[in-house]
Structure formats: C-alpha cells, structure tokens
Amino acid sequence: MKEFAVFWGCTIQARFPFLEKSVRTVMEGMGLPYRDLSGFTCCPEKSLVNNVDHGLWLLTGARNVALAEAEGLNIVSPCTGCVSNLSTVKSELNADPRKKGEVNALLNGVGRRFEGRAGLSHLVPFFHDEVGAQRIRSAMKKDFKGMRVAVHYGCHMMRPSHALKNDDPLEPKKFDNLVRTLGAESVDHSTKLMCCGQGLDRVDQHDTALHMARLKLRELKNRAVDAMVLCCPSCFLQFDNNQHLMEKEGERFGVPVFYFTDLMGLAMGYTADELGLGLHRVDAGPFLKKWEEVSSRPSSRTAFEEEMRAVTFAMDRL
Amino acid sequence: MLDGVLNFDLLDKCSKCGACFDVCPSCLNIEGYDPRAVIKDILAGQSGRWASSIHVWQCLECHQCLEMCYQHYGFENAMTAMRLYATAKGMHPPQVKRGWDMFVKTGRLGEPAAAGRKKLGLPEPGESGKEEFLKLLKLYREAKKGSQAQ
C-alpha cells in the first residue's frame, strides 16, 4: 500500500482527541503507512467560510491539497466535512482552468502549486476499497455477531457525488459492508441517510439542532439498537454530546455512539481504554456488557455442531 | 442582484419542479422552511426580504437536493446565494462571524487540545500552516482589491 497523508481537520484535534487516538490505534495496529504532514490549515469548513467568501474557500482548500501533492501523497481523512470540502474544491478547480490558473497565480506567491491530482478519500471508503475485507478480517480477534448496530453515514462521506465519486449518494453501501465484515447486524432504519442536523448548532439554532438529533435517536431507541456507528466529528458532536445534553434534561435514549475505528479497534482486541471510549459522553458500558455476554455464549451453530457430533458418535456405536 | 451567482434559467425550471422538497431534511422537519418560496422571490427580484430570515441558515448543506435534481442544481444553490447575500449585508449569525474571525486570524477553527492530547499519549500535532496562510490571505485580498478597482 502506498503511503498516504492523514488530514485530521480542526474538530477532531481541538475537541475530540480521543477520536484521533482511536483512528491512530487502528491504523498503527494494521500497519497502514500513514504520515502526519505539517502546514495544513482548516479544510476550510463550508458553513463558516464558504458562506462568507467563496474565493478564499477555494484558495485555502487548494493550498491544503497542494501540500500533499508536493510530497506525492494522497489524502485520507477521518472527517467527512474535510474530505467533502477538499474534494469539492478540487472538482470545481479541475473543471475550470481559468479559475485554477488564478488560484495557482496566488499560490505561487507562497511557493505552492495545486495540480488537482491527489486522491482524496474518507476513512470509511478507504477501508472498504483500499484496505479491504480480507485484511480487516485477518486483523480481527473477535467479531460482533449478535450485536445490532445502526450505521449513520453522514452526508459528506459521499455527497456531493460529482466531487467524491465513492459510493451511491442516495443508497450507499460501503459503511454497511464494513459493519457486516465486523460481524454485526446493520439495522435498517428510515432516518439512516438523514442529515444529523449539527450544522444548525453552528448558526445559533441549538434548539432546532436538538430537534433533528431527537428524530433519529427516538427511532434508534424504538428499533432497540445496541449502538450507532458513524465516522464524522460533526455527527459525533450531534449524537454523543447533544444526546448527553438531552439526557441531562430528562429525555432517555441510551444509544451509545461509536466511531468506525472504535468498533474496528475493539474487534482487533484493543480495550475500551486504549480507544478512549471512556471519554464519550454517552456510556458505552451497556454495549460492551452485552457484547461480552453474547460472545461468551456458544453460538447456535456451535451448539448444533456439537449435537450432531454427539448423534454421529452414538450412531457409530450402534 | 444575484446575477452571476445564480443561473436564472436553471432556477426558473427549479421553481416549476420542487422534486427535492420531499428529500430535504429541513423541509420535512423544520416548520416554515420552504426554499420554494425563496426561489419564487429571487425570480421576482424580491430576494432582499430573505436576507434577515433564519430560514436561509437552516439549509444543512447535506446535498440531498443536489443529488435528486435532474439539473444537478437543487435548492442549495439558491440558499447558498442567499447566505452570501445576507453575509455581505452583515446579517449573518454571530457564531458565523466568530468562526470567520478565528479562521482569518489563525487559519483554523480551533487549536489542537494540548492537555487532552498529552493525556492520551498522542504525538505533537503537525505544525500549523498559519504563517503561510496569512501571507496567502494578504495576497488574495490585494488581488481582490485590484480586480474590484478595475
């Protein structure tokens, strides 16, 4: 596998270092050749930057891509927003040579050049396409058979599709495939592809943000899932922090929220502590407890096979 | 006033379609949110009335409408144009103002959490690109001024 640069983005490093820990633990455990690059800035974020100055949004994104291109590296990001923004900038500039020329004229002033060639992937499609099920399975010590997990893709993992081109934008499959590779059931639900709504918290509309979070959490509670899994710090903020805030006010959901690498890491044999799960606001305990119970129980297949062996043995003696 | 930012031909077709209404999470779940009304006013030259509306900030930029749209245009282009317009008028939410200020000062929307990172045994974060970013920002602003003066 070719070496790649990780684009952490602002939110993970500033607010959720334990998510960084989880991602690093899994990537190191699997021996993936990643590199930390110096000099990245904010991707930049769409709602706070693109809504004010589209030109600066393009220029900043192009500079970030140029940093990886100068090292001959592709970018992989555990943040859907970052990868969607960088990809949209790349797609817009590659489709418009005049604009690309203007951007490069400015970048030239700081000794950079945007080629628009670096591959940009989100961690989930990267695990699906580049790491692959076989390598994932061989790294696993334990699976999640018997556990019911709700996958939350997060809009910007695959949209806008003209820029990301990595999965079906309205019926994605890759995250589900990975969760099934880990042995869990991916529980279908009607709000699966619904936007988390965290963007509303960034524009001073906290109550509406909570309203959006509640719609999904209520459904997941009714579907009796053991946890939800996502891979975006913004969605994580919405479902972990905001769920906790609502629970403090007396609404009970009890849906633990995991990053993709949390589940992956647990399956690889890392402990909850090593993955920073104790720093999540919503208690992951009930999930871990059930997992322990389920995995210590002999599976129905094993029980059946044992019974068959006993019967065959008895028949042999006749 | 939104010429050049929006394609009015596409927007005109958009105003007669509305297929994306039923996939838009805000249309379905936030009372009073309806980009069809905004688009109607933009086409009638009345977009100014939406500049101070909280609804233009309730577009979640989830791109569901874009994917559903047979023109690959969707509500989002109209809503993004309205947010740029509101911002130009200084009517954007305080949090957007604060986010923008931090971005143009530091190139980031938050600094790595030093104490938390240390506790978790994480390596030193990559060096910030702040200085180069600020230099680039200066060049960008000069170029923008130059093109506006022409």
Short mmCIF file of all heavy atoms in Angstrom, two decimals, chain A residues 10 13-14 17 20-21 38-39 41-42 45-46 51 53 55-56 63 112 155-156 159-162 169-170 193 201 204-205 211 215, chain B residues 29 54 57-58 60-64 67 72 83-84 87 93-95 107 109 111-113 117 120 122-123 127 129 132 136-137 140 144:
data_model
loop_
_atom_site.label_atom_id
_atom_site.label_comp_id
_atom_site.label_asym_id
_atom_site.label_seq_id
_atom_site.Cartn_x
_atom_site.Cartn_y
_atom_site.Cartn_z
N CYS A 10 -9.87 20.43 11.95
CA CYS A 10 -9.86 21.18 13.22
C CYS A 10 -10.63 20.47 14.34
O CYS A 10 -10.17 20.41 15.48
CB CYS A 10 -10.50 22.55 13.03
SG CYS A 10 -9.73 23.55 11.75
N GLN A 13 -9.01 17.34 16.27
CA GLN A 13 -7.84 17.68 17.10
C GLN A 13 -8.17 18.67 18.23
O GLN A 13 -7.55 18.63 19.27
CB GLN A 13 -6.72 18.21 16.21
CG GLN A 13 -6.18 17.12 15.28
CD GLN A 13 -4.75 17.35 14.83
OE1 GLN A 13 -4.41 18.45 14.41
NE2 GLN A 13 -3.92 16.32 14.91
N ALA A 14 -9.13 19.54 17.99
CA ALA A 14 -9.44 20.54 19.01
C ALA A 14 -10.43 20.01 20.05
O ALA A 14 -10.30 20.29 21.24
CB ALA A 14 -10.00 21.80 18.36
N PRO A 17 -9.80 14.68 20.83
CA PRO A 17 -8.53 13.97 20.64
C PRO A 17 -8.66 12.46 20.82
O PRO A 17 -7.88 11.70 20.25
CB PRO A 17 -7.61 14.59 21.71
CG PRO A 17 -8.48 15.38 22.60
CD PRO A 17 -9.71 15.73 21.85
N GLU A 20 -9.05 10.86 17.57
CA GLU A 20 -7.75 10.74 16.90
C GLU A 20 -7.01 9.52 17.42
O GLU A 20 -6.40 8.76 16.66
CB GLU A 20 -6.94 12.02 17.14
CG GLU A 20 -5.58 12.01 16.44
CD GLU A 20 -4.79 13.29 16.64
OE1 GLU A 20 -5.41 14.35 16.91
OE2 GLU A 20 -3.56 13.25 16.54
N LYS A 21 -7.10 9.33 18.74
CA LYS A 21 -6.44 8.18 19.37
C LYS A 21 -6.98 6.87 18.79
O LYS A 21 -6.23 5.94 18.47
CB LYS A 21 -6.70 8.25 20.89
CG LYS A 21 -6.30 7.04 21.66
CD LYS A 21 -4.88 7.13 22.12
CE LYS A 21 -4.56 5.95 23.05
NZ LYS A 21 -3.14 5.84 23.28
N SER A 38 2.98 18.57 8.14
CA SER A 38 2.90 19.89 8.76
C SER A 38 2.30 20.87 7.76
O SER A 38 2.45 20.69 6.56
CB SER A 38 4.29 20.37 9.15
OG SER A 38 4.67 19.75 10.35
N GLY A 39 1.65 21.89 8.29
CA GLY A 39 1.23 23.01 7.44
C GLY A 39 -0.22 23.03 7.00
O GLY A 39 -0.66 23.99 6.38
N THR A 41 -4.11 23.73 7.18
CA THR A 41 -4.99 24.63 7.94
C THR A 41 -6.39 24.00 7.95
O THR A 41 -6.53 22.86 7.53
CB THR A 41 -5.10 26.01 7.26
OG1 THR A 41 -5.62 25.81 5.94
CG2 THR A 41 -3.76 26.71 7.20
N CYS A 42 -7.39 24.76 8.36
CA CYS A 42 -8.78 24.31 8.25
C CYS A 42 -9.02 23.98 6.77
O CYS A 42 -8.49 24.64 5.88
CB CYS A 42 -9.70 25.43 8.71
SG CYS A 42 -11.45 25.10 8.50
N GLU A 45 -13.96 24.83 6.32
CA GLU A 45 -15.33 24.46 6.62
C GLU A 45 -16.29 25.26 5.73
O GLU A 45 -16.07 26.43 5.46
CB GLU A 45 -15.59 24.75 8.11
CG GLU A 45 -16.60 23.86 8.74
CD GLU A 45 -17.98 24.46 8.72
OE1 GLU A 45 -18.12 25.67 8.46
OE2 GLU A 45 -18.93 23.71 8.94
N LYS A 46 -17.37 24.58 5.32
CA LYS A 46 -18.26 25.22 4.35
C LYS A 46 -19.12 26.32 4.98
O LYS A 46 -19.13 27.44 4.50
CB LYS A 46 -19.14 24.14 3.73
CG LYS A 46 -19.56 24.49 2.31
CD LYS A 46 -20.29 23.34 1.65
CE LYS A 46 -19.34 22.40 0.95
NZ LYS A 46 -20.00 21.24 0.37
N ASN A 51 -19.69 30.43 3.10
CA ASN A 51 -20.84 31.32 3.14
C ASN A 51 -20.42 32.78 3.25
O ASN A 51 -21.26 33.68 3.16
CB ASN A 51 -21.76 30.98 4.32
CG ASN A 51 -22.61 29.75 4.03
OD1 ASN A 51 -22.90 29.47 2.88
ND2 ASN A 51 -22.99 29.04 5.06
N ASP A 53 -16.95 33.86 1.96
CA ASP A 53 -16.05 34.20 0.86
C ASP A 53 -15.67 32.93 0.08
O ASP A 53 -14.80 32.18 0.50
CB ASP A 53 -14.79 34.88 1.42
CG ASP A 53 -13.93 35.50 0.33
OD1 ASP A 53 -13.90 34.97 -0.80
OD2 ASP A 53 -13.28 36.52 0.62
N GLY A 55 -14.16 32.59 -2.77
CA GLY A 55 -12.79 32.63 -3.33
C GLY A 55 -11.76 32.16 -2.32
O GLY A 55 -10.88 31.35 -2.64
N LEU A 56 -11.88 32.61 -1.08
CA LEU A 56 -10.92 32.22 -0.05
C LEU A 56 -11.10 30.74 0.32
O LEU A 56 -10.13 30.05 0.65
CB LEU A 56 -11.06 33.11 1.19
CG LEU A 56 -10.01 32.87 2.28
CD1 LEU A 56 -8.60 33.09 1.77
CD2 LEU A 56 -10.28 33.75 3.50
N ARG A 63 -4.66 25.05 -1.35
CA ARG A 63 -3.35 25.06 -0.68
C ARG A 63 -3.16 23.76 0.13
O ARG A 63 -2.08 23.16 0.09
CB ARG A 63 -3.24 26.27 0.25
CG ARG A 63 -1.89 26.34 0.94
CD ARG A 63 -1.79 27.45 1.99
NE ARG A 63 -0.68 27.13 2.88
CZ ARG A 63 -0.77 26.31 3.92
NH1 ARG A 63 -1.91 25.73 4.22
NH2 ARG A 63 0.31 26.05 4.65
N ARG A 112 3.66 27.48 -3.65
CA ARG A 112 2.86 26.25 -3.76
C ARG A 112 2.25 26.14 -5.15
O ARG A 112 2.09 27.13 -5.85
CB ARG A 112 1.71 26.25 -2.74
CG ARG A 112 2.14 26.37 -1.32
CD ARG A 112 2.49 25.02 -0.74
NE ARG A 112 3.12 25.19 0.57
CZ ARG A 112 3.98 24.32 1.07
NH1 ARG A 112 4.34 23.27 0.38
NH2 ARG A 112 4.50 24.52 2.26
N CYS A 155 -23.73 12.94 5.72
CA CYS A 155 -23.93 13.40 4.34
C CYS A 155 -22.66 13.49 3.53
O CYS A 155 -22.60 13.10 2.37
CB CYS A 155 -24.58 14.78 4.35
SG CYS A 155 -26.09 14.84 5.30
N HIS A 156 -21.62 14.07 4.13
CA HIS A 156 -20.46 14.45 3.32
C HIS A 156 -19.46 13.33 3.10
O HIS A 156 -18.41 13.55 2.54
CB HIS A 156 -19.79 15.69 3.94
CG HIS A 156 -20.74 16.85 3.98
ND1 HIS A 156 -20.94 17.61 5.10
CD2 HIS A 156 -21.57 17.34 3.04
CE1 HIS A 156 -21.86 18.53 4.82
NE2 HIS A 156 -22.25 18.38 3.58
N ARG A 159 -21.45 12.77 -0.49
CA ARG A 159 -22.07 13.86 -1.24
C ARG A 159 -21.25 15.14 -1.10
O ARG A 159 -20.75 15.40 -0.02
CB ARG A 159 -23.51 14.10 -0.74
CG ARG A 159 -24.45 12.99 -1.10
CD ARG A 159 -25.90 13.41 -0.92
NE ARG A 159 -26.23 13.68 0.48
CZ ARG A 159 -26.68 12.78 1.34
NH1 ARG A 159 -26.87 11.53 0.98
NH2 ARG A 159 -26.96 13.09 2.57
N PRO A 160 -21.16 16.01 -2.11
CA PRO A 160 -21.76 15.84 -3.43
C PRO A 160 -21.02 14.77 -4.25
O PRO A 160 -19.79 14.77 -4.30
CB PRO A 160 -21.60 17.21 -4.09
CG PRO A 160 -20.46 17.85 -3.37
CD PRO A 160 -20.46 17.30 -1.98
N SER A 161 -21.79 13.91 -4.91
CA SER A 161 -21.20 12.74 -5.56
C SER A 161 -20.33 13.10 -6.76
O SER A 161 -19.41 12.37 -7.10
CB SER A 161 -22.30 11.77 -5.98
OG SER A 161 -23.16 12.39 -6.90
N HIS A 162 -20.61 14.25 -7.41
CA HIS A 162 -19.78 14.60 -8.58
C HIS A 162 -18.33 14.87 -8.13
O HIS A 162 -17.41 14.73 -8.89
CB HIS A 162 -20.35 15.81 -9.33
CG HIS A 162 -20.27 17.11 -8.56
ND1 HIS A 162 -21.30 17.59 -7.80
CD2 HIS A 162 -19.27 18.00 -8.41
CE1 HIS A 162 -20.94 18.73 -7.23
NE2 HIS A 162 -19.71 19.00 -7.58
N PRO A 169 -24.73 8.08 -3.83
CA PRO A 169 -25.03 9.19 -2.91
C PRO A 169 -26.38 9.06 -2.21
O PRO A 169 -26.60 9.68 -1.17
CB PRO A 169 -25.02 10.42 -3.83
CG PRO A 169 -25.30 9.89 -5.19
CD PRO A 169 -24.68 8.53 -5.25
N LEU A 170 -27.30 8.30 -2.80
CA LEU A 170 -28.62 8.18 -2.18
C LEU A 170 -28.87 6.77 -1.63
O LEU A 170 -29.86 6.53 -0.95
CB LEU A 170 -29.72 8.56 -3.18
CG LEU A 170 -29.68 10.03 -3.65
CD1 LEU A 170 -30.66 10.28 -4.79
CD2 LEU A 170 -29.97 10.99 -2.50
N LEU A 193 -30.20 7.88 6.32
CA LEU A 193 -29.44 8.84 5.49
C LEU A 193 -29.81 10.28 5.80
O LEU A 193 -29.40 11.20 5.10
CB LEU A 193 -29.68 8.55 4.01
CG LEU A 193 -29.04 7.26 3.50
CD1 LEU A 193 -29.30 7.09 2.03
CD2 LEU A 193 -27.54 7.22 3.78
N ASP A 201 -26.30 23.97 14.89
CA ASP A 201 -25.60 24.44 16.08
C ASP A 201 -24.53 25.48 15.72
O ASP A 201 -24.11 26.25 16.57
CB ASP A 201 -24.90 23.25 16.78
CG ASP A 201 -25.57 22.89 18.10
OD1 ASP A 201 -26.28 23.75 18.64
OD2 ASP A 201 -25.38 21.76 18.56
N ASP A 204 -26.24 29.28 15.46
CA ASP A 204 -27.02 29.75 16.61
C ASP A 204 -28.45 29.21 16.64
O ASP A 204 -29.37 29.94 17.03
CB ASP A 204 -27.06 31.29 16.64
CG ASP A 204 -25.67 31.87 16.84
OD1 ASP A 204 -25.13 31.77 17.94
OD2 ASP A 204 -25.13 32.43 15.86
N GLN A 205 -28.66 27.96 16.20
CA GLN A 205 -30.01 27.41 16.28
C GLN A 205 -29.97 26.07 17.03
O GLN A 205 -30.31 25.01 16.49
CB GLN A 205 -30.60 27.24 14.88
CG GLN A 205 -30.75 28.60 14.17
CD GLN A 205 -31.51 28.51 12.86
OE1 GLN A 205 -32.49 27.79 12.74
NE2 GLN A 205 -31.06 29.28 11.88
N HIS A 211 -33.71 19.19 18.02
CA HIS A 211 -34.92 18.61 17.42
C HIS A 211 -34.53 17.56 16.37
O HIS A 211 -35.08 16.46 16.31
CB HIS A 211 -35.76 19.73 16.81
CG HIS A 211 -36.89 19.26 15.95
ND1 HIS A 211 -37.93 18.52 16.44
CD2 HIS A 211 -37.12 19.42 14.61
CE1 HIS A 211 -38.77 18.25 15.44
NE2 HIS A 211 -38.30 18.76 14.33
N LEU A 215 -35.03 13.22 16.42
CA LEU A 215 -35.78 12.42 15.44
C LEU A 215 -35.09 11.08 15.21
O LEU A 215 -35.73 10.04 15.16
CB LEU A 215 -35.88 13.18 14.10
CG LEU A 215 -36.76 14.42 14.11
CD1 LEU A 215 -36.58 15.20 12.81
CD2 LEU A 215 -38.22 14.03 14.30
N ASN B 29 -38.75 18.64 8.31
CA ASN B 29 -38.75 18.64 9.78
C ASN B 29 -38.70 20.01 10.47
O ASN B 29 -38.79 20.07 11.68
CB ASN B 29 -37.57 17.79 10.28
CG ASN B 29 -37.68 16.35 9.85
OD1 ASN B 29 -38.66 15.68 10.18
ND2 ASN B 29 -36.72 15.87 9.08
N ILE B 54 -34.10 33.62 9.41
CA ILE B 54 -33.29 32.50 9.93
C ILE B 54 -33.37 31.31 8.98
O ILE B 54 -32.52 30.43 9.00
CB ILE B 54 -33.68 32.04 11.37
CG1 ILE B 54 -35.12 31.54 11.42
CG2 ILE B 54 -33.43 33.10 12.38
CD1 ILE B 54 -35.40 30.71 12.68
N TRP B 57 -30.45 30.08 6.90
CA TRP B 57 -29.38 29.37 7.63
C TRP B 57 -29.81 27.98 8.04
O TRP B 57 -29.06 27.26 8.71
CB TRP B 57 -28.93 30.20 8.85
CG TRP B 57 -28.40 31.51 8.40
CD1 TRP B 57 -29.10 32.70 8.31
CD2 TRP B 57 -27.10 31.79 7.88
NE1 TRP B 57 -28.30 33.68 7.76
CE2 TRP B 57 -27.07 33.16 7.50
CE3 TRP B 57 -25.95 31.01 7.69
CZ2 TRP B 57 -25.93 33.75 6.95
CZ3 TRP B 57 -24.82 31.60 7.15
CH2 TRP B 57 -24.82 32.96 6.78
N GLN B 58 -31.01 27.59 7.66
CA GLN B 58 -31.48 26.24 8.02
C GLN B 58 -31.25 25.22 6.90
O GLN B 58 -31.57 24.05 7.07
CB GLN B 58 -32.97 26.29 8.40
CG GLN B 58 -33.17 26.96 9.76
CD GLN B 58 -34.61 27.28 10.08
OE1 GLN B 58 -35.45 27.38 9.18
NE2 GLN B 58 -34.90 27.45 11.35
N LEU B 60 -29.04 22.70 5.45
CA LEU B 60 -27.98 21.98 6.15
C LEU B 60 -26.80 21.65 5.23
O LEU B 60 -25.83 21.02 5.66
CB LEU B 60 -28.55 20.70 6.76
CG LEU B 60 -29.56 20.96 7.87
CD1 LEU B 60 -30.44 19.75 8.09
CD2 LEU B 60 -28.86 21.35 9.15
N GLU B 61 -26.90 22.04 3.99
CA GLU B 61 -25.84 21.75 3.00
C GLU B 61 -25.53 20.25 2.95
O GLU B 61 -24.38 19.83 2.88
CB GLU B 61 -24.58 22.57 3.30
CG GLU B 61 -24.91 24.06 3.35
CD GLU B 61 -23.70 24.96 3.53
OE1 GLU B 61 -22.85 24.98 2.64
OE2 GLU B 61 -23.62 25.64 4.58
N CYS B 62 -26.60 19.45 3.01
CA CYS B 62 -26.44 17.99 3.01
C CYS B 62 -26.37 17.45 1.60
O CYS B 62 -26.05 16.29 1.40
CB CYS B 62 -27.59 17.35 3.78
SG CYS B 62 -29.17 17.43 2.92
N HIS B 63 -26.72 18.28 0.61
CA HIS B 63 -26.65 17.94 -0.83
C HIS B 63 -27.63 16.86 -1.27
O HIS B 63 -27.48 16.32 -2.35
CB HIS B 63 -25.22 17.54 -1.24
CG HIS B 63 -24.16 18.49 -0.78
ND1 HIS B 63 -24.16 19.82 -1.11
CD2 HIS B 63 -23.06 18.30 0.01
CE1 HIS B 63 -23.11 20.41 -0.55
NE2 HIS B 63 -22.44 19.51 0.15
N GLN B 64 -28.63 16.56 -0.45
CA GLN B 64 -29.66 15.61 -0.89
C GLN B 64 -30.38 16.18 -2.11
O GLN B 64 -30.64 15.46 -3.07
CB GLN B 64 -30.70 15.38 0.22
CG GLN B 64 -30.24 14.48 1.34
CD GLN B 64 -30.63 13.01 1.12
OE1 GLN B 64 -30.99 12.60 0.03
NE2 GLN B 64 -30.53 12.22 2.18
N GLU B 67 -28.42 15.91 -5.36
CA GLU B 67 -28.36 14.55 -5.90
C GLU B 67 -29.67 14.15 -6.56
O GLU B 67 -29.70 13.37 -7.51
CB GLU B 67 -28.00 13.54 -4.81
CG GLU B 67 -26.69 13.81 -4.08
CD GLU B 67 -25.46 13.64 -4.97
OE1 GLU B 67 -25.58 13.14 -6.10
OE2 GLU B 67 -24.36 14.03 -4.51
N HIS B 72 -28.98 18.73 -11.54
CA HIS B 72 -27.88 18.74 -10.57
C HIS B 72 -27.68 20.18 -10.04
O HIS B 72 -26.58 20.72 -10.03
CB HIS B 72 -26.58 18.20 -11.18
CG HIS B 72 -25.62 17.66 -10.13
ND1 HIS B 72 -25.92 16.61 -9.30
CD2 HIS B 72 -24.38 18.05 -9.75
CE1 HIS B 72 -24.92 16.37 -8.48
NE2 HIS B 72 -23.97 17.24 -8.72
N ARG B 83 -27.29 33.11 1.50
CA ARG B 83 -26.42 33.25 2.68
C ARG B 83 -25.26 34.22 2.37
O ARG B 83 -24.90 35.05 3.20
CB ARG B 83 -25.89 31.89 3.14
CG ARG B 83 -26.94 31.06 3.86
CD ARG B 83 -26.32 29.86 4.55
NE ARG B 83 -25.72 28.95 3.60
CZ ARG B 83 -26.37 27.99 2.97
NH1 ARG B 83 -27.66 27.82 3.19
NH2 ARG B 83 -25.76 27.20 2.11
N LEU B 84 -24.73 34.10 1.15
CA LEU B 84 -23.66 35.03 0.76
C LEU B 84 -24.19 36.47 0.76
O LEU B 84 -23.51 37.41 1.18
CB LEU B 84 -23.12 34.67 -0.63
CG LEU B 84 -22.11 33.52 -0.68
CD1 LEU B 84 -21.90 33.05 -2.11
CD2 LEU B 84 -20.76 33.92 -0.07
N THR B 87 -24.66 37.65 4.31
CA THR B 87 -23.35 37.91 4.91
C THR B 87 -22.79 39.24 4.41
O THR B 87 -22.25 40.04 5.19
CB THR B 87 -22.38 36.77 4.57
OG1 THR B 87 -22.96 35.55 4.99
CG2 THR B 87 -21.05 36.94 5.27
N PRO B 93 -25.38 35.09 11.27
CA PRO B 93 -25.46 34.82 12.72
C PRO B 93 -24.13 35.09 13.42
O PRO B 93 -23.07 34.91 12.82
CB PRO B 93 -25.79 33.33 12.78
CG PRO B 93 -26.31 32.97 11.44
CD PRO B 93 -25.69 33.90 10.47
N PRO B 94 -24.19 35.52 14.70
CA PRO B 94 -22.96 35.83 15.46
C PRO B 94 -21.94 34.70 15.44
O PRO B 94 -20.74 34.94 15.35
CB PRO B 94 -23.47 36.05 16.88
CG PRO B 94 -24.90 36.35 16.75
CD PRO B 94 -25.40 35.76 15.47
N GLN B 95 -22.41 33.46 15.47
CA GLN B 95 -21.49 32.34 15.50
C GLN B 95 -20.71 32.21 14.19
O GLN B 95 -19.54 31.83 14.20
CB GLN B 95 -22.27 31.05 15.75
CG GLN B 95 -21.54 30.11 16.68
CD GLN B 95 -22.41 28.94 17.06
OE1 GLN B 95 -23.63 29.10 17.22
NE2 GLN B 95 -21.84 27.79 17.22
N GLY B 107 -6.21 30.58 10.58
CA GLY B 107 -6.27 29.55 9.55
C GLY B 107 -6.96 28.28 10.02
O GLY B 107 -7.04 27.30 9.30
N LEU B 109 -10.22 26.56 12.86
CA LEU B 109 -11.43 26.84 13.63
C LEU B 109 -11.29 26.36 15.06
O LEU B 109 -12.28 26.25 15.78
CB LEU B 109 -12.65 26.20 12.95
CG LEU B 109 -13.02 26.82 11.61
CD1 LEU B 109 -14.15 26.06 10.95
CD2 LEU B 109 -13.41 28.29 11.76
N GLU B 111 -7.75 25.29 17.99
CA GLU B 111 -6.37 24.79 18.13
C GLU B 111 -6.40 23.39 18.75
O GLU B 111 -7.27 23.09 19.58
CB GLU B 111 -5.55 25.74 19.00
CG GLU B 111 -5.31 27.12 18.36
CD GLU B 111 -4.61 27.03 17.00
OE1 GLU B 111 -3.64 26.26 16.88
OE2 GLU B 111 -5.05 27.72 16.06
N PRO B 112 -5.44 22.53 18.41
CA PRO B 112 -5.39 21.18 19.00
C PRO B 112 -5.40 21.26 20.53
O PRO B 112 -4.72 22.11 21.12
CB PRO B 112 -4.07 20.63 18.49
CG PRO B 112 -3.83 21.34 17.20
CD PRO B 112 -4.38 22.73 17.40
N ALA B 113 -6.18 20.38 21.16
CA ALA B 113 -6.32 20.39 22.62
C ALA B 113 -5.07 19.78 23.25
O ALA B 113 -4.95 18.56 23.32
CB ALA B 113 -7.56 19.59 23.01
N ARG B 117 -4.58 15.84 24.56
CA ARG B 117 -3.74 15.04 23.67
C ARG B 117 -2.61 14.38 24.44
O ARG B 117 -2.26 13.24 24.22
CB ARG B 117 -3.17 15.90 22.54
CG ARG B 117 -4.23 16.51 21.63
CD ARG B 117 -3.58 17.43 20.61
NE ARG B 117 -2.60 16.70 19.83
CZ ARG B 117 -2.88 15.95 18.80
NH1 ARG B 117 -4.13 15.86 18.38
NH2 ARG B 117 -1.94 15.29 18.17
N LEU B 120 -3.66 11.42 26.46
CA LEU B 120 -3.91 10.23 25.64
C LEU B 120 -2.64 9.68 25.00
O LEU B 120 -2.69 8.68 24.28
CB LEU B 120 -4.93 10.57 24.54
CG LEU B 120 -6.38 10.77 25.01
CD1 LEU B 120 -7.18 11.56 23.98
CD2 LEU B 120 -7.05 9.42 25.26
N LEU B 122 -0.91 11.14 22.66
CA LEU B 122 -0.86 11.42 21.21
C LEU B 122 0.40 12.21 20.87
O LEU B 122 0.88 13.00 21.69
CB LEU B 122 -2.10 12.24 20.79
CG LEU B 122 -3.43 11.48 20.78
CD1 LEU B 122 -4.59 12.45 20.67
CD2 LEU B 122 -3.46 10.49 19.63
N PRO B 123 0.94 12.04 19.67
CA PRO B 123 2.13 12.79 19.29
C PRO B 123 1.82 14.27 19.14
O PRO B 123 0.65 14.66 19.04
CB PRO B 123 2.52 12.18 17.95
CG PRO B 123 1.26 11.60 17.41
CD PRO B 123 0.47 11.15 18.61
N GLU B 127 2.81 20.91 12.57
CA GLU B 127 2.90 22.36 12.70
C GLU B 127 1.77 23.05 11.93
O GLU B 127 1.41 22.61 10.84
CB GLU B 127 4.23 22.82 12.12
CG GLU B 127 5.14 23.50 13.12
CD GLU B 127 6.49 23.72 12.51
OE1 GLU B 127 6.61 24.70 11.75
OE2 GLU B 127 7.40 22.91 12.77
N GLY B 129 -0.13 25.75 9.59
CA GLY B 129 0.28 26.48 8.38
C GLY B 129 -0.10 27.94 8.47
O GLY B 129 -0.23 28.62 7.45
N GLU B 132 2.01 30.85 6.57
CA GLU B 132 1.87 30.81 5.10
C GLU B 132 0.44 31.18 4.70
O GLU B 132 0.23 31.88 3.70
CB GLU B 132 2.22 29.40 4.62
CG GLU B 132 2.37 29.32 3.11
CD GLU B 132 2.76 27.92 2.66
OE1 GLU B 132 3.82 27.43 3.11
OE2 GLU B 132 2.01 27.32 1.87
N LEU B 136 -0.79 34.21 2.26
CA LEU B 136 -1.67 33.94 1.11
C LEU B 136 -2.93 34.80 1.18
O LEU B 136 -3.40 35.34 0.16
CB LEU B 136 -2.02 32.45 1.09
CG LEU B 136 -2.77 31.91 -0.11
CD1 LEU B 136 -1.96 32.07 -1.39
CD2 LEU B 136 -3.10 30.42 0.08
N LEU B 137 -3.46 34.93 2.38
CA LEU B 137 -4.67 35.74 2.58
C LEU B 137 -4.40 37.20 2.19
O LEU B 137 -5.23 37.85 1.56
CB LEU B 137 -5.10 35.66 4.06
CG LEU B 137 -6.31 36.48 4.49
CD1 LEU B 137 -7.56 36.03 3.74
CD2 LEU B 137 -6.55 36.34 6.00
N TYR B 140 -4.33 37.40 -1.52
CA TYR B 140 -5.70 37.25 -2.03
C TYR B 140 -6.47 38.58 -1.89
O TYR B 140 -7.15 39.02 -2.81
CB TYR B 140 -6.41 36.14 -1.25
CG TYR B 140 -7.88 36.00 -1.54
CD1 TYR B 140 -8.33 35.55 -2.77
CD2 TYR B 140 -8.84 36.34 -0.57
CE1 TYR B 140 -9.68 35.42 -3.05
CE2 TYR B 140 -10.20 36.21 -0.84
CZ TYR B 140 -10.61 35.75 -2.08
OH TYR B 140 -11.95 35.63 -2.34
N LYS B 144 -7.95 40.88 -4.85
CA LYS B 144 -9.39 41.16 -4.87
C LYS B 144 -9.63 42.66 -4.99
O LYS B 144 -10.48 43.11 -5.76
CB LYS B 144 -10.01 40.62 -3.58
CG LYS B 144 -11.41 40.08 -3.76
CD LYS B 144 -11.88 39.39 -2.51
CE LYS B 144 -13.38 39.32 -2.47
NZ LYS B 144 -13.87 38.73 -1.23
#
